[in-house]
Amino acid sequence: MGIVNRRSLHFLDADRLKKRVEYIIKHDATIQSLYRSALSAFFRFAGMFIPVDENMVLFSSFSGKRYDDSPKVLFERMLERDDCADLHFVWAFNRPNDYRLPRTQIVKMHSWAYWRAALSAKFWVTNVNIECGLSFKKKQQVYVNTWHGTGNKSFGNLVPGRNDYDFSTVDVFTVDGVFMADMHHRALNVNYASFVYCGRPREDELYLASQSTRREIRDKLGIPENAFVVLYAPTWRDSLTGGNDYSFEALLDADRVLESLGENALILYRAHSIVTETRGISFSERVVDCSVYPNVNELYIAADLLISDYSSVFADYSILGKPMLCFAFDYEDYVLSRGLTADFRDDITTFYNEEDLYSYLCAFSYREESDKTKRFKAKYISAGGNASDACIDAMFAASKSKHD
């Protein structure tokens, strides 16, 4: 099957060191405070000597890890729009030599070229963070944050011991409904006036997906027409090694899942971008690692069933109205250590042990589970389908308001 090369999810030493430093900063309040105050002051001072370029747009996705998600969609839409013809772009990547993009300067994430671009770009576009926990945005700059999902796991200031996330300077923050807006106001201190109720630009593709789209994608991925495809996409767990790695121990027995669903079943596995290594899954022709596949939407469209846990992929996938199940094998431990912002167990069929899940898969009702997914979407998601243009329009409107 020609889906993607398999990977062990090991990072290079430089990436491991970076994650270790990030872990220390995140978990040590004193170091975190010194980091924020000293570097924020430095960049605010440096910014006094670097003018804002009214036509520059700075992009990053998942802190420079990839060219994907909503920032990619917005960038490609800007290349098409006439009112963006005068804009020029900067993209930040951890491995800048891997990319070539039109009308675009490529810089290395966290290099001086990156920080200079952040100080000079009129527009910032990201799905995570531009300032990397610092605070130096200028009043005339326009900050667009699409975020990357609507989920129920605690994040930001909702995590025990955290009260330092402040996204109050974001000008445009895209959300897919009231649930997401309330959570991000509480977790990230986003102002309600900054929310644009349009969904995430990446998800426009899901709203437009048709049966012909699905057939084309499955053909491209090498999936047989009669295959029943399970997408297993668990979220990440916190590091148990002080930030040296973020491994995931899969308790889902892929062979038992395949046995429960029959000979035409296959599994696509999608690790969270933070996960550095997956253990407990043996990959084969019927169990395929899609963790580095560039477009997760295509995996959603190709799949017949989603299995996840506390991940925001439920919200994405619910747009398609197909069955989804929750395998929460560590529910009590996860709630105690990380916490949840909402209880989805009444909305998504949930299993706490493997045997119950395997038994259910043997004879579950596709229609009943699809109906349950549609009710989930109706409850949590009220906006989406034209987010790209709505977001760009809001970006220009925010810029105009700063000049009025």
Side-chain angles (χ1 to χ4, degrees):
M1 184 177 301
I3 293 182
V4 72
N5 290 331
R6 303 180 189 122
R7 70 170 186 172
S8 63
L9 296 180
H10 284 292
F11 278 11
L12 299 174
D13 289 343
D15 296 312
R16 290 183 179 276
L17 177 60
K18 178 182 175 183
K19 281 191 172 292
R20 173 63 176 159
V21 171
E22 290 174 347
Y23 182 90
I24 293 172
I25 293 173
K26 183 184 291 187
H27 290 80
D28 189 305
T30 301
I31 294 176
Q32 184 182 116
S33 178
L34 290 172
Y35 162 79
R36 290 178 185 276
S37 59
L39 288 183
S40 294
F42 171 78
F43 285 118
R44 283 195 293 268
F45 177 76
M48 297 170 61
F49 304 96
I50 300 176
V52 171
D53 183 334
E54 294 291 326
N55 292 317
M56 180 188 290
V57 188
L58 171 63
F59 290 89
S60 77
S61 180
F62 294 112
S63 301
K65 291 178 182 177
R66 299 192 293 261
Y67 173 62
D68 67 355
D69 206 66
S70 293
K72 174 181 182 287
V73 174
L74 288 175
F75 168 70
E76 293 178 354
R77 182 64 182 126
M78 288 182 193
L79 290 175
E80 297 172 342
R81 286 181 45 148
D82 292 339
D83 57 355
C84 298
D86 293 332
L87 299 178
H88 59 100
F89 310 109
V90 179
W91 264 93
F93 296 108
N94 293 334
R95 295 179 176 83
N97 293 333
D98 292 348
Y99 301 93
R100 295 290 184 273
L101 300 171
R103 288 167 50 190
T104 301
Q105 176 189 1
I106 307 295
V107 299
K108 184 174 177 60
M109 193 73 189
H110 302 139
S111 67
W112 172 244
Y114 170 77
W115 297 116
R116 183 179 180 86
L119 292 168
S120 59
K122 174 67 175 182
F123 304 102
W124 294 352
V125 179
T126 186
N127 57 1
V128 180
N129 192 314
I130 289 289
E131 296 169 293
C132 304
L134 306 179
S135 177
F136 57 81
K137 174 180 173 284
K138 302 174 185 179
K139 290 182 179 179
Q140 65 266 45
Q141 291 179 302
V142 176
Y143 187 176
V144 177
N145 196 312
T146 66
W147 208 241
H148 48 273
T150 298
N152 68 330
K153 62 175 178 279
S154 295
F155 64 103
N157 298 326
L158 300 179
V159 175
R162 301 302 299 269
N163 192 31
D164 52 288
Y165 285 85
D166 184 10
F167 282 55
S168 60
T169 62
V170 173
D171 299 286
V172 175
F173 197 106
T174 61
V175 293
D176 56 15
V178 173
F179 173 77
M180 181 182 178
D182 288 343
M183 288 302 101
H184 286 76
H185 173 69
R186 292 169 53 202
L188 302 178
N189 196 33
V190 182
N191 293 320
Y192 275 105
S194 300
F195 290 126
V196 177
Y197 292 82
C198 62
R200 283 172 289 277
R202 171 177 58 78
E203 293 164 359
D204 287 350
E205 181 180 18
L206 298 178
Y207 282 94
L208 296 173
S210 63
Q211 283 301 314
S212 62
T213 306
R214 174 179 162 88
R215 284 193 296 270
E216 290 172 5
I217 291 172
R218 285 169 70 112
D219 286 345
K220 182 173 74 171
L221 299 179
I223 297 174
E225 184 177 352
N226 63 342
F228 186 91
V229 179
V230 178
L231 175 60
Y232 180 42
T235 193
W236 62 285
R237 272 66 173 172
D238 202 2
S239 174
L240 300 177
T241 59
N244 287 319
D245 66 72
Y246 285 80
S247 61
F248 174 71
E249 185 74 34
L251 296 187
L252 190 75
D253 187 326
D255 290 337
R256 293 288 303 277
V257 171
L258 295 176
E259 179 184 336
S260 299
L261 292 172
E263 61 182 13
N264 293 327
L266 62 89
I267 298 172
L268 308 182
Y269 171 71
R270 178 79 173 190
H272 192 283
S273 62
I274 291 178
V275 171
T276 56
E277 182 180 8
T278 296
R279 302 177 184 135
I281 296 182
S282 297
F283 298 108
S284 65
E285 288 299 309
R286 296 179 66 196
V287 183
V288 185
D289 187 356
C290 297
S291 299
V292 295
Y293 188 76
N295 187 348
V296 68
N297 284 346
E298 294 188 352
L299 303 182
Y300 295 151
I301 295 168
D304 297 289
L305 166 69
L306 170 69
I307 300 178
S308 187
D309 41 33
Y310 324 104
S311 173
S312 62
V313 297
F314 284 129
D316 299 347
Y317 195 78
S318 72
I319 294 168
L320 298 169
K322 297 185 290 187
M324 51 192 198
L325 304 175
C326 178
F327 179 42
F329 61 86
D330 57 349
Y331 182 82
E332 292 184 1
D333 290 340
Y334 193 91
V335 170
L336 286 174
S337 62
R338 179 66 183 261
L340 298 175
T341 61
D343 190 345
F344 284 173
R345 290 178 294 175
D346 289 337
D347 307 300
I348 304 171
T349 304
T350 301
F351 303 90
Y352 306 100
N353 66 73
E354 302 165 74
E355 294 302 323
D356 287 347
L357 173 61
Y358 306 145
S359 297
Y360 188 78
L361 289 175
C362 289
F364 81 99
S365 169
Y366 191 92
R367 176 176 293 182
E368 289 179 7
E369 287 297 343
S370 295
D371 289 342
K372 199 166 188 177
T373 297
K374 293 170 185 175
R375 291 194 295 271
F376 174 94
K377 178 182 178 297
K379 180 176 180 179
Y380 294 104
I381 300 173
S382 60
N386 189 39
S388 301
D389 282 327
C391 186
I392 295 171
D393 291 345
M395 181 185 82
F396 283 132
S399 177
K400 185 177 183 298
S401 70
K402 291 177 183 289
H403 291 286
D404 290 343

